[in-house]
Amino acid sequence: MVDLKGKGIIYEEDDEPIQLFDEDDAHTIREYRMSLIGKVLNPKKQNVEKLIQYMPTQWKMQDQITANDLGNGKFLFNFASEDDLQAVLKQGTLHYNFCMFVLVRWEPIVHDDYPWIIPFWVEISGIPLHLWTVKNLKNIGRKLGHVDTIELEAGRLLINVDTRKPPVFKKKVQSPVGEEVTIPIKYDLLFKHCTVCGLLTHEESYCSKKVEMMKAQTVKA
């Protein structure tokens, strides 16, 4: 007799990943060719269900976008036209409930952290005038992320920043004769982030690094 209640089933303690197969499904690729995949960075402050309801209205595209909650803080926006999709992408950094979220064009990528890139306009200052060149700005920008665009006169760079790492707010630069100076780095539209470790995934009150520092101080006392 078949055990319909599941009693007596022995489950193997096998932690090996189950193999998935790529069947080169062109239909699936076409289906998501006008989709943006996103991820909340601060799940304690950002509700995915509310976000995917709110943002299309914020963009005034509530009738042109459908949305799906993908679980694990990820979501999908499906667009009816390429123009609408590009209009959203051109807005650059995005936030909901005063916290950042990631939104990029969908690609067939499998990774727990995907997507993780946010484009930031970054302002550089403090470089000696005779060293204010595209090459030098690009070298600085490469330490922050992938450099997309450089506006030399304004000292601004559009940089794709990896949100898994804390933003860099200052860097030391060295002149050709060996003189060093520390330059500040300012991120446009950078919303809530941890002031202890710098990560965008939580605020100071939830920072594990802060807890460790407090424990260390208690032990010393």
Side-chain angles (χ1 to χ4, degrees), residues 120-121 134-151 156-161:
F120 275 105
W121 277 104
V134 168
K135 182 177 180 180
N136 285 334
L137 284 183
K138 185 176 288 186
N139 285 339
I140 294 170
R142 285 172 178 161
K143 296 296 184 180
L144 311 177
H146 173 75
V147 180
D148 183 277
T149 306
I150 295 177
E151 295 183 351
R156 280 168 29 104
L157 301 89
L158 181 60
I159 297 178
N160 291 323
V161 174

Side-chain angles (χ1 to χ4, degrees), residues 78-98:
N78 308 293
F79 290 78
S81 77
E82 180 69 21
D83 288 344
D84 287 346
L85 183 150
Q86 290 296 334
V88 170
L89 282 180
K90 287 177 182 177
Q91 296 192 33
T93 52
L94 296 164
H95 67 93
Y96 172 72
N97 199 22
F98 302 104

